[in-house]
Structures are given as C-alpha cells and as structure tokens.
Amino acid sequence: MTGPDAPPGPTVIVRVVARLLLAPSVVVAVALIVKGYTAVGDGFAAGMVVGLAVALNAVALGARRAEAALPVLRHAPYAAVGGALLALASGFFPVALGEPVFSHRPGPDEKVVSVGKAELMTAVSFDVGIFLLVVGVVTVLVHQLAEPDQEPQA
Amino acid sequence: MQGWASCATAAVGFVVCLVAWQRGGGTVSLPWVPSLDLRLSFAFDGLAALYSLLATGVGVLVFAYGTRYLRQHLVEDDRPLAERRRFWPWMALFAAAMVGLATATDLVLVFVFFDLTAVCSYFLIGFDRERRAARTAALTALLVTIVPAVALLAGAVLLYSTYGTFSIPELVATVEPGTTTTVAGLLIAVAALAKSAQVPLHFWLPRAMEAPTPVSAYLHSAAMVAAGVLVLGRVHPLLARSEVVLTVLLVVGLTSVAVGGVLALGRDELKQVLAYSTISQYGYVVTLYGMVGAAAAGAAAFYVVVHAVAKSALFLSAGAVTTATGEDRLSRLGGLGRRMPVLAAATGVAAATLAALPLTGGFFSDELFFAAAKEHGPVLTVASVLAAALTFAYIGRYWIRLFLGPLATAPAALSPVLLVPVVVLALVAVAAGVVPSPITTLAEGAGAVSHAAPVTLSPAYHLDLRATNVMALAAWALGGLLLAAAGLRDRASRLVATAGDRLGPRRAYTASVIGLRRVSERLHDWETRDLRSSIAAVLVPAGALAAAAFAATPVARAFTVGPIAGADWLVLPLLVLVGVATLVAARTRERLGIVLALAAVGFGLAAVYALRAAPDVALVAVLVETMLTLVFLAALGRLPGTEPRREHGRRRGQRWRDPLIATVSGLGAFVVIWGYLSEPREAPSVAAEQIRLAPAAHGQDVVTVIVADFRGLDTLGEITVLLIAAIGVATLLGRGRLW
C-alpha cells in the first residue's frame, strides 16, 4: 500500500471514502436490525457493519484523529457493557416470572406489535444488545490496539 | 488458633465416629451421576470405624502437637506466622479425606478420596516450599501415588464393564474368579501398594520426610500410607478370588518387610529410620492380606491400629528431640535418657510396641501375625520370625543410640505441648497391651469386612511354650544377636543401600521424569519454533486423523460424484476462482498480493454460501472477510519493505516440508467433505424442528431466531466472551482502562 517513497499515511481517496462510508454503514446496520427477525441479518452482522466503518476510519485517519472527529466513539465502553446488560436482561427476565430463560415476550401465540418491519419483542431487544456490544467491543479494540504508537504522522 | 480449631474439629469427629461405631454404624447412598451409575455411597462398618477412629484420634494428638511445633518451625526459619494458613486447612482436609475414604463403598468415590489424600500430602510435604528438596519430595510423592491411582480407576471401570456396578458390596456379592477379576484386582492392588509405599514404589516415602514432623507423623500412621492398606482391606474379598493377586501381595509384602527393615538398620537420620520402618511395617500388613483367612484379616486390622499408635509416637518424639537439640542424626545424638526421662520412657514404650515386647499392644499384633503365618506353612513361619527379628533390631538400635550412652548434644527445655501427645500415645500402647479387648473388637469388625465373614480374635498372654510364644522368643533372640553384631549389621545395610541407589526404582523414576521432560521440551521447541510449525502441529494431526477415521470406516458409496445442475454452474467457476486465488497466495512474494489473494478466497467462498442458500452465513462471511482484509492492510502499512525477508539457512529437507504438510492436511479436509457430501443425511431432526417452529416465534429468518431465541443462552455466552476479550486486551495494553 505504501511504498518506501510514498508519503506516510493512506491516500486522500481512502480518507474521503472512509468519511463518506460512515453514515451509509450506520443506515445499513439499522436496516439489518430492523428487518433482522424477518429477513437475513441480525445484531451481530449489524454490529460488524458499524465496526467496519469505525475501523476503516481509524486506518484512514489514524485512531486518535478518528476519535477526535467522532467524539461519540468515547462512549464505546458504555455501549459494550450496556449491550451486554441489555442482552442479559432480555434473556433472563423470564426467570423473575418463574419461566425458563429466553422465554421471549410476546409468546408464540400472542400478537406482535410491528412498526413497519420492526417487531417489538424481547428477542429483538436481545439482538439490539448484541449489536451494541459488538460495536462497543470493536471500537474499544481499535482504540486499544492503536495506542502503542501515538499518531505517527501527527 | 487455626491449629487448635483443627484439633477441636478432629476431636469432635473422633467422638462422632465413636458414637457411630457404638451404635453399629449405618449406610448412606445418594445419587451422584445417575447417567454413569455413580452414587455417593458411604457405609460406617467395621473397617470404616477402625480407620476413621484412627484418622481422627491420632489427628487430635498430632494436631495438638502441631500447634506448637509449627510456630517454632516458622520462627526458626524467619517466616511469617501467617504461613500457617497454608498448613492447617490441608491438614484438616487430609483427615476429612481419610474419613471419606474409610467410609466410601463406591469404587469411583474411593478413587476420588484416594487422590484427595495425595493432593493434600503434596501441599503438606512441600510446605517448606523455598527448599528445593521439599518441592521435589512433594512432586515425587504426588507422581508415585497418583499415577498408579489411575490403575485403581482402570480396575474399577473393568469391573463395571463386566458386572455393571461400582458398588463394592454388590461386586463382592457377584464377582466370579476369572481373568477379569485377576486383572482388575492387580490394577487396584498396584494403586494401593504404591500408596502404602511398598517395594518397588517405596522410594517416595523416605523423601517425604522433608515434610514438617506433624505431617510425617500423620502421613505415616493414620493417613496417606494407611490409605493403601485401607483400600486393600476394603476390596479384599475381590482380591481373594484370584491366587495371582494374593501371591503378588505376599511377595511384595515380604520384600518390603525385608528391604525396609534392612535399610532402617543403617540409617543415620532419625526420620529416615522411621520412614524405612514404616515401609517394613506396612509390608507386614500387606503380607497378612496376602494370606487368606479370618485370622489374617483380623490380624491385619489389629496391626494397623497398633502400628499407627506406635509410629505416630515415634515421629512426634523424633520431632521433639530435633526441636530440643537442633540435631536430626543418630551419630550426633545420644545419652538423652538422663536429661529427658519422660520422653525416653514414652519413646521406649513406642519402640517396644514395634519390637513386640509384652505389656504393649505390639505383643498381641505379632502374636496374631505369627498365628496367621503359622497356618500358611513353614516358609511363611520362618519369614515372619525373621521379619520380627529385623524390626526388633532396628528399633532397638534406634532407641539405644538416641537415649543411652554418653551425652552428645545437650537438649533445651521442651514444651509440654510437644511432650504430652507422645506420652498419651505411649499410654494407649500400654493399655492395648494390658486390655486388648477394645482394639480386638475394632479389629474383628474391620476384619469381618475384609474377610466378608465374621472374624474372631483372641489375643492373650499364655505362659507356655505354644508355637507363637516360641516364634516370639526366637525373634527377640535373633534380633538381639543382630543388635549386638554392629559391624556386620551396618555393613549389610550399607551394601543394600548402595545397591538400591545404583539399581533401585528411584533411579528409574528420576530417569523417566527427566526423559519425559526432555521429550516435552523437544516437542514444544519444535512446535513453537516458527509460525509454520505451529500451524503444522494443528493441521497435520487433523488431516491424518480424519484420513485414518475414513480408512477405518468403509461405507458403501461413500465417495460419489453427483450431478451438476442449476446454481451449480455458478458455484463451479467460483470454486475455480478460489483455487486460483489460493495458488496465487501461496506463490506470490509481495505482501499486498498475498492479502488480496486471501481476500479473493474469502469473498469467493462467501459467494458460494450465498448460492447454496445460506444468506446469513454469506453476510457474516463478507463482513468478517472485509474486516480481516482491513486489519491486514493496516498492519502492512506499519511493516518495513514490501516483501517478507527470505529465510536464510533453510535446510534442504525443509523445501519439501511445507508442500507436504499442505497436501496432507488438504487431502484430509477434502476427503472428509467429499465423504459428507456424497451421502447428505436428512436434515437432522433438531434443525427440522427449529425450521418448523420459527414462524411461531414470530420470525421468518431461521438463523436469527435460532441465535436470539432457541439457542439464546449460547449466544449470550459467546457475546460475553467478546466482552471479556476486550477487557483482557484493555488489561494488557491499557492498564485496565477500557478507554
């Protein structure tokens, strides 16, 4: 990618594409989750899509600059832990009601309220938990692994 | 504080056992692993009563002694008293494990407690862990007793496979003589003999003297070493159905008596003399188990009790002597009798008990031993007299060298806590010699379990020239001669010791440990030498094993070429593309080329998934592939140069190594997949069920429903792993801060 004579850092094309890809990838991720329970895709895939966008930004701009440009990334640890807690709650709330774990509501024969294609049920909130966790973990990993050499070309 | 707490616990245990014994015992059986027919079966019968009373009773005295001893031991070594925390819990667990082992009547449960005692002994022998000798001694004890213990498990499984039960009482009722019984009996006997430190697996015991004295005293009398003969006594009705096993027991027992006794004659260190004495004394018990019969079974139980009392007294006395004088060798000690008359008298009683003098319990145990031996012919009669003579000689030498003659090292004042337990044990030994009936009753109960029939013992003094009395007199006379002929005795003992060092099993043990470590290091070095070796270490066995599995199970029409139709015409070119990309990745020299070729492989396969009606897998494959390529590119940007450095100095043979590894593993995988695709099973019923139920769970995408609903708990576990991985990275790189 970078020969010995080329200037350090990725080309301007990569940087621009990375920037531009961010918004569409979030849209795709949301779409994956929303229709996840009725069509292809789930929380993990959605999380990967956003994670990819974050990683691409880190590669293109350098992790620190990407984080400066997207301050929201700071909340990644909360997303990871919150996702885990949401998934845990979605799976284990039936225990409080004396049912086996992962007895999702609404139950098999009950009616599901849908907003467009999105079904409002605990299985979907479990999926959202997975999504948050994957995004959070990928972002934290990118942050941590980029730490050792701080901004080579800054 | 912890010491006295352990002591009190042991005392309570002793009282409970005593009450249970008086009440006639009882049995408990709870299901443990029903699918494997395992039960938590405990029985408080005669044998259990004997050994649990020993473990708790001797435990009380040894623990009381230990409270004082340990404090002094730690102070002398400049170690914090807090290290007691590494001692007392193990001691208490040791006692509990012995009681568990004594009462367990399920072979697998026996195995568990058997190993538990070994684990406790490991930590106790290695208590002085900053000393290398203590560490190696602990490891030796662990290996020599735990590796043969696997034989016990193997024997149990063998019996289970034939008779369908692990329960010892049920096995005793059903087992028939035969090859299975012999083999299983031998396996169990090996484990028990190693535990009881019988030749040739005896060498761990003298080394284990590195342990603090209370540990030695306990280990030798009521725990660990006693566990071996306890198991022999427990399964004896099974062993008695095979002549071979009985002969092995006889031979091993007599050899141990001889080897232990002769070596004890020449040792200089106090605890070493006692250690070899223990080998010899348990040889007596094993010999008795080798003779079948009510008399032998009862005598073995009686012997164990008397020996435990005497031996723990001797160990505690040796520890007291060392504490008072700072010396632990006979050659530097002597004449202590005048300065420590009480200790000398108590030790004398214990020594007399081993030497089987009248008015001690030892006299009766030898009387019963002689009586049992006499029933089994002249060879055993003579052997038993010689054994008793040997014991008389070495323990006589020990006591005389220690307490008579000129004073060698002046002793300091001794704490009563170190003295009282020895005196109490000596009193017990004398009481057993005057009123043997409590121990007789105990031994009759235990013997009845080992013999699987009622046993009557009648030890008593007879002032006439009956055979047992003549044998005892002969033993004392011979022992006295041996005691007098010091030069001959020492030379013989030294000769045997040298021969043992040269050719003995300890050498084989050391060689095998060193050899194993060398093989392991060689293998490890080879595996971790470079990335290729690490990969080969996974791929080659996987490929070879898969190929072997297919070669071993020939199936008709296993490998067929099916028709090509529909979407297959799209899959084929994709696969060709994957193949070409693979070759490119293998041949190209430039890093970027390799990464892009690998990406092509991944995307090509993702497309194949999509065409094979697995869109979810395809989606994830595309995403993961993209992420991987991105990571690769990011990493490449930081590497110097564009090509991997050529490896210098590769040997000629290695040129063909990588292609060979690739071929073997690739063929293995190919054969597996071809075999699977040739005979596609019906969709397994679980999958069919899940597909059927997906709409009821309000989902059309079966994969998502499985991930989020049917197998939701698995998913939760997996994402938790992700979070833990992130925390791990943060701990390593970010000092524990996630951001």
Side-chain angles (χ1 to χ4, degrees), chain B residues 102-116:
Chain B
T103 49
T105 56
D106 182 291
L107 274 176
V108 175
L109 204 56
V110 165
F111 171 76
V112 169
F113 283 116
F114 202 68
D115 271 2
L116 194 56

Side-chain angles (χ1 to χ4, degrees), chain A residues 1 36-42 45 49 52 56 59 67 73-74 80 84 87-88 92 102 104 106-108 110 112 119 126-127 130 133 138 140-141 143-145 149, chain B residues 592 615-616 619-620 623-624 626-627 630 633-634 637-638 696-701 704-705 707-709 712-713 715-716 719 722-723 726 729-730 733-734 737-739:
Chain A
M1 173 152 58
Y37 224 60
T38 49
V40 173
D42 53 16
V49 169
L52 261 178
L56 187 62
V59 168
E67 282 158 19
L73 292 183
R74 254 182 321 118
L88 198 67
F92 275 77
F102 285 94
H104 285 302
E110 296 164 38
V112 181
E119 296 171 309
F126 180 72
D127 232 14
I130 298 180
L133 184 129
V138 169
V140 167
L141 287 182
H143 172 80
Q144 292 287 354
L145 295 174
D149 47 349
Chain B
L592 190 59
D616 279 281
L619 176 64
V620 173
L623 291 172
V624 169
T626 316
M627 185 62 112
L630 207 58
L633 292 180
R638 291 158 189 254
H698 311 296
Q700 272 76 52
D701 183 20
T704 312
V705 177
V707 166
D709 195 340
L713 202 55
T715 313
L716 195 63
I719 61 173
L722 258 186
L723 189 61
V729 170
L733 296 178
R737 296 171 57 84
L738 278 174
W739 199 254

Side-chain angles (χ1 to χ4, degrees), chain B residues 236-259:
Chain B
H236 194 255
L238 303 177
L239 305 183
R241 281 169 210 177
S242 161
E243 277 302 317
V244 182
V245 178
L246 292 176
T247 315
V248 166
L249 289 182
L250 265 186
V251 171
V252 169
L254 286 175
T255 317
S256 303
V257 171
V259 169

